[in-house]
Amino acid sequence: MTVTANYNYVDSKYNVKSLADYVILNSYVVCSDWLNWNTAWWRGLNYQCDKQKWRYKLWDEDATFKHYINYTGLPNVDPNADPCDPATLNDPGGQGHIPIFNKLITNSTFKQYYVMRYFDLLNTGLSCKRMTDILDSMVLVITPEMPRQIARWGGTMAQWQTNVAALKTFIQQRCDTVTKLFNGCYQTTGPYTIKINCDPPNSGIVDFNSVNISTFLWQGTYPGNLPNILKAHPKTNYCFSHWTTKTHTLSPSMTDSVVNLLLIASDSIVAHFIPNPKPLVTPTSTNICVGTNVQLQASNGLNYSWSPSIGLSCTTCSNPIASPSVNTIYTVTSTTSLSCSSSSSQTITITPNPQVLASPSSSIICDGNSVALQATNGTGYTWLPTSGLSCTSCSNPIANPS
């Protein structure tokens, strides 16, 4: 798996991230009845859908938190169980899950994902607060039902409360100690406290490894000696500008939106965004006649690119002359000094020329007489020549030609 092509092939057939989550969860709760039993994996059979890779699901997770029998043969079922213990289990059940995991962990990409995914979950879904809050909420729901449970199946309320307290203590001890145990088996350092913020507020989102951060200030605990991956995502009408830190230098540069962070100490990181308004398009008219043109004017950017190019006098200026022959939607993309881009569109509608009918009351008149002219099918009229006409902009002038 150290060969990139080999790893990519496995990743194309097998959901390595699902395996990572499966091992992480069972490791964290110190499950003692998995791999040899209670392991399920699946994949979709519809080639048109996106679940073609083999992946895992949870099944029968009652032998956790030092409860029940150690069927798997874990070396330690206490809260200080080593997070690397799963790698030492050889192949319980003979299904190959741990041998596959041990091969994958030799790949630097998978190792980075696995270790940082472990910490991502410890800082979010598997955090002490979230797990104890869920346990407390479940106790509130179950407590009123316990008298009937005891009456039917035996036991005492005091025994149940003792078991609940032991479970809560295990959770608290586990999440307090597990982050300190990675240094021995995955050659990490720390852990260190990392704080992430966004400036200005509500201007962007930051991905930190597998965590999508949209609420700031965000804080977590992470190890050193393995890279963390940060990605900045601007919100609408904003553009990423740069990162700032108190301690570290991010690579490849502080102005790249996707960067690596190798922790050697605690730090605070800010993703900075700048306004990136859409270009403003102001045509001299949005409705023109066949054979005429209109000038388009774009602003709010430094450089412009127009499409489609048909009928335009230029495609990279701010003010092209548009001579479309049919109704056309012109789109302009503007860029700023930081190569941020945004687009706006403007529809130009073509109005067909009217088929004007001019009907005189008579086409032949005697010298000195007049004739009434009548124009139809238009909304405004101009008569030429003007000599001898009673009006030149009405629909029905009286003509006295000489």
Side-chain angles (χ1 to χ4, degrees):
M1 290 297 105
T2 57
V3 177
T4 300
N6 294 344
Y7 174 77
N8 290 340
Y9 175 78
V10 173
D11 185 35
S12 71
K13 303 295 182 182
Y14 184 74
N15 193 325
V16 297
K17 292 182 177 180
S18 177
L19 175 65
D21 281 353
Y22 187 65
V23 176
I24 289 169
L25 183 59
N26 282 286
S27 163
Y28 182 64
V29 301
V30 196
C31 182
S32 58
D33 191 15
W34 68 303
L35 297 173
N36 51 325
W37 304 103
N38 307 327
T39 300
W41 61 101
W42 65 280
R43 70 182 180 96
L45 297 178
N46 189 336
Y47 71 94
Q48 295 179 323
C49 296
D50 61 352
K51 299 296 186 294
Q52 298 301 300
K53 296 181 181 181
W54 286 101
R55 64 201 66 217
Y56 291 82
K57 65 179 181 179
L58 295 177
W59 179 18
D60 201 358
E61 292 284 315
D62 57 342
T64 53
F65 307 106
K66 204 176 180 178
H67 171 73
Y68 206 47
I69 302 168
N70 186 2
Y71 284 114
T72 305
L74 298 178
N76 185 359
V77 294
D78 292 319
N80 64 347
D82 197 311
C84 292
D85 280 348
T88 69
L89 295 178
N90 194 13
D91 190 16
Q95 297 165 347
H97 308 289
I98 293 303
I100 292 173
F101 172 80
N102 285 337
K103 288 291 186 181
L104 287 170
I105 206 71
T106 63
N107 180 274
S108 59
T109 298
F110 181 80
K111 181 179 179 180
Q112 186 279 336
Y113 178 82
Y114 177 79
V115 174
M116 294 310 176
R117 175 64 172 170
Y118 210 130
F119 277 83
D120 287 344
L121 293 173
L122 291 176
N123 284 289
T124 54
L126 299 180
S127 68
C128 283
K129 184 179 186 308
R130 184 171 186 272
M131 292 188 70
T132 54
D133 284 351
I134 291 175
L135 176 60
D136 290 343
S137 68
M138 294 174 67
V139 169
L140 288 175
V141 174
I142 295 173
T143 297
E145 303 297 324
M146 284 308 298
R148 289 193 296 167
Q149 165 76 14
I150 293 168
R152 176 65 179 85
W153 300 106
T156 66
M157 181 65 75
Q159 179 185 359
W160 179 69
Q161 291 171 338
T162 298
N163 292 339
V164 170
L167 173 58
K168 190 170 186 176
T169 298
F170 189 106
I171 292 172
Q172 292 170 334
Q173 292 177 347
R174 182 62 171 159
C175 58
D176 284 341
T177 60
V178 71
T179 58
K180 304 176 181 67
L181 299 172
F182 279 79
N183 297 359
C185 59
Y186 288 120
Q187 296 78 50
T188 59
T189 58
Y192 307 106
T193 299
I194 184 77
K195 297 179 180 179
I196 298 177
N197 210 342
C198 167
D199 179 62
N202 202 36
S203 59
I205 294 171
V206 175
D207 289 341
F208 188 72
N209 299 316
S210 66
V211 181
N212 181 263
I213 305 170
S214 58
T215 302
F216 301 93
L217 177 73
W218 187 89
Q219 178 174 315
T221 302
Y222 284 84
N225 210 32
L226 280 175
N228 295 278
I229 302 173
L230 294 97
K231 297 180 182 179
H233 302 280
K235 290 189 176 181
T236 302
N237 293 333
Y238 281 93
C239 175
F240 174 73
S241 174
H242 65 283
W243 304 92
T244 55
T245 66
K246 290 185 176 180
T247 306
H248 298 83
T249 299
L250 307 179
S251 62
S253 78
M254 302 294 280
T255 57
D256 282 286
S257 61
V258 181
V259 292
N260 289 340
L261 165 66
L262 194 64
L263 287 171
I264 58 173
S266 297
D267 205 349
S268 294
I269 299 177
V270 180
H272 297 270
F273 301 88
I274 59 173
N276 183 36
K278 288 187 175 183
L280 178 64
V281 181
T282 51
T284 53
S285 176
T286 59
N287 195 308
I288 61 175
C289 296
V290 173
T292 61
N293 56 51
V294 60
Q295 185 171 47
L296 306 175
Q297 179 67 58
S299 56
N300 285 347
L302 293 179
N303 300 296
Y304 301 94
S305 176
W306 295 85
S307 66
S309 60
I310 297 175
L312 292 180
S313 60
C314 61
T315 58
T316 57
C317 59
S318 64
N319 55 350
I321 301 297
S323 305
S325 58
V326 295
N327 294 347
T328 302
I329 299 175
Y330 287 106
T331 299
V332 60
T333 300
S334 65
T335 57
T336 68
S337 57
L338 291 176
S339 298
C340 301
S341 64
S342 60
S343 300
S344 295
S345 296
Q346 177 64 59
T347 300
I348 302 300
T349 302
I350 304 300
T351 299
N353 292 325
Q355 299 296 317
V356 178
L357 298 178
S359 304
S361 57
S362 176
S363 60
I364 300 175
I365 61 174
C366 295
D367 186 24
N369 289 345
S370 63
V371 62
L373 303 176
Q374 181 66 54
T376 57
N377 289 345
T379 57
Y381 303 91
T382 299
W383 294 86
L384 293 173
T386 60
S387 176
L389 293 179
S390 61
C391 62
T392 59
S393 59
C394 59
S395 64
N396 54 352
I398 301 299
N400 291 281
S402 60

